[in-house]
Amino acid sequence: MSERIALHEGAMEVSDAAGMTDASGVSHQVRFDEDLCTGCGLCEAFCPMEVIAMEEGAPRAVHAEACWGCETCSGQCPVHAIRIEATAQAAQETDEQPAPPLAEEVREQYREWARVLREVLGLRWHPVAVSLIREGEPLPDVPLPEERLRYCQALMAARRGRALMMPANRHACPDGTSILGLSPIPKKLASGELYILFHKLDSVEAARRMVAERPSLPPRSVRATVTCPLDDPRCEAEVVAVIGTPEQMMWLSMATSYYTGHRHDFHASGYNAQCVETTLIPLTSGEINISFGCYGCRASSDVDDSLMMMGIPVTLMDEVVRGLRELGRRAIPQSRDKVYLPPF
Ligand code: SF4
Ligand code: SF4
């Protein structure tokens, strides 16, 4: 494995809210509707950043500066009494020189890959080029979102044609952001406490195991994530993410095996779909990986129930595209024509 994609090993760096505050990004105000609020305390319990505390039976944003705008509190409030307002935004995070533009021949190659994937598979939307800009590397010239977004939301925006670069202060999901090496992991996530609250795992032990078994990059080893439509790339991609139907995933899987006959060992769990299963596993293993999606990406993006995801390391793209072209000559059209369907 190259130094560039060294995984995080050893004890996790866990941070409290104050340790994850970055004043240079989008800031938020947490508004509570006192007429609606019942004082149940769920917002305090679910906030991963420990922004909210109950005081005399009412919620207060006691660490508003640490709010990431993740909307977990508003999503869990049973009476919809919380509104998160983005209140300020920084200009571009630095005035440093951007990285040189992507070489034209690389752009052309990515566009050709995108064309074949879309035409042969019949993809409705764009495949997504994913890059992680490491510490010490120059940032490419890609727009920042006006508000914090989850990584999965940025990936889905790229799928719909919007290129985005997100340093830590534009990421809204503390879990994905720590997995991708932009920040330490918040205490409540590292302990597994939040997974139990969400009823996503049975016990703290199970939650800790799930967290320990997933790959992650060392905290603060990554400056920014860049997600672009593959046919409008801004920097060299490391992984190509494809969102499509199970049938389209099947053909991609076969395209990857076309020249070798290799059967894949996929790692799919339903936890951390975009950051772990679609991005980090392909990036660190050099193999394609499949994902059924996860609670977070399905709850916070437009990805519908019929879709799943695949991450393809860019090093395999040439082979995958060539294999797909071959499958497109006969196997794909015949299968779609249901040539063996009995006439009854
Ligand atoms: S979750 Fe909603 S109802 Fe419960 S304390 Fe928080 S704001 Fe009030
Ligand atoms: S938006 Fe997220 S970080 Fe902000 S208060 Fe709500 S749960 Fe906490």
Side-chain angles (χ1 to χ4, degrees):
M1 187 186 304
S2 86
E3 200 176 300
R4 209 163 174 275
I5 50 175
L7 287 174
H8 185 209
E9 289 174 0
M12 278 185 290
E13 184 188 342
V14 176
S15 182
D16 59 17
M20 297 182 69
T21 302
D22 181 348
S24 67
V26 179
S27 62
H28 298 86
Q29 294 209 350
V30 189
R31 308 271 190 210
F32 300 98
D33 186 327
E34 291 175 11
D35 294 333
L36 293 175
C37 177
T38 61
C40 69
L42 284 175
C43 50
E44 178 191 27
F46 275 94
C47 174
M49 306 305 295
E50 302 172 74
V51 169
I52 302 172
M54 298 300 288
E55 290 180 351
E56 297 174 357
R60 299 277 177 259
V62 292
H63 291 298
E65 76 288 352
C67 176
W68 279 31
C70 68
E71 302 277 358
T72 305
C73 53
S74 54
Q76 295 300 322
C77 175
V79 293
H80 308 294
I82 306 174
R83 203 171 75 250
I84 306 296
E85 290 177 5
T87 57
Q89 65 190 48
Q92 293 280 331
E93 90 160 354
T94 69
D95 57 4
E96 70 179 45
Q97 278 292 102
L102 194 57
E104 192 50 40
E105 73 246 31
V106 179
R107 292 175 63 85
E108 271 310 310
Q109 179 172 53
Y110 289 5
R111 284 198 195 111
E112 175 61 10
W113 287 344
R115 187 190 65 74
V116 173
L117 289 182
R118 290 192 72 177
E119 282 185 16
V120 177
L121 291 174
L123 288 177
R124 167 73 176 86
W125 300 104
H126 306 268
V128 176
V130 174
S131 317
L132 304 180
I133 311 299
R134 307 305 196 279
E135 278 304 323
E137 293 179 349
L139 296 171
D141 187 12
V142 185
L144 306 182
E146 287 166 8
E147 297 190 7
R148 282 184 183 252
L149 294 176
R150 290 167 185 261
Y151 175 66
C152 47
Q153 291 173 319
L155 213 142
M156 294 305 158
R159 166 180 167 251
R160 298 194 303 274
R162 189 174 174 208
L164 288 173
M165 176 168 69
M166 300 203 309
N169 62 29
R170 300 303 163 112
H171 275 263
C173 172
D175 209 8
T177 312
S178 58
I179 288 167
L180 291 170
L182 290 112
S183 66
I185 187 169
K187 274 192 297 193
K188 281 185 176 180
L189 287 165
S191 68
E193 182 187 332
L194 270 186
Y195 287 98
I196 311 300
L197 269 179
F198 276 113
H199 291 272
K200 288 198 274 190
L201 284 159
D202 178 59
S203 62
V204 169
E205 290 69 35
R208 283 198 184 134
R209 180 175 177 183
M210 187 279 292
V211 169
E213 285 187 2
R214 69 191 183 191
S216 63
L217 295 176
R220 302 188 188 89
S221 62
V222 170
R223 290 188 76 185
T225 57
V226 179
T227 41
C228 305
L230 185 60
D231 41 11
D232 182 19
R234 311 300 174 89
C235 55
E236 294 221 5
E238 293 173 88
V239 170
V240 173
V242 181
I243 295 94
T245 64
E247 191 250 12
Q248 291 164 334
M249 299 294 118
M250 178 189 90
W251 295 118
L252 279 176
S253 173
M254 287 176 65
T256 315
S257 304
Y258 188 81
Y259 294 101
T260 63
H262 174 58
R263 286 179 176 269
H264 307 291
D265 293 318
F266 292 132
H267 295 269
S269 68
Y271 300 101
N272 306 117
Q274 309 297 358
C275 47
V276 171
E277 294 176 351
T278 311
T279 300
L280 267 195
I281 290 179
L283 180 68
T284 55
S285 70
E287 305 278 349
I288 62 168
N289 196 47
I290 202 88
S291 176
F292 302 117
C294 68
Y295 169 97
C297 82
R298 294 203 179 275
S300 63
S301 79
D302 68 335
V303 68
D304 76 41
D305 297 351
S306 66
L307 299 177
M308 51 194 299
M309 302 92 201
M310 181 178 283
I312 306 169
V314 81
T315 47
L316 291 182
M317 276 301 291
D318 195 47
E319 192 176 329
V320 171
V321 167
R322 283 191 293 121
L324 194 61
R325 270 205 199 100
E326 295 303 319
L327 291 167
R329 292 183 198 281
R330 182 179 294 264
I332 294 176
Q334 286 198 339
S335 171
R336 289 178 174 176
D337 278 350
K338 309 273 181 211
V339 292
Y340 301 136
L341 187 70
F344 49 80

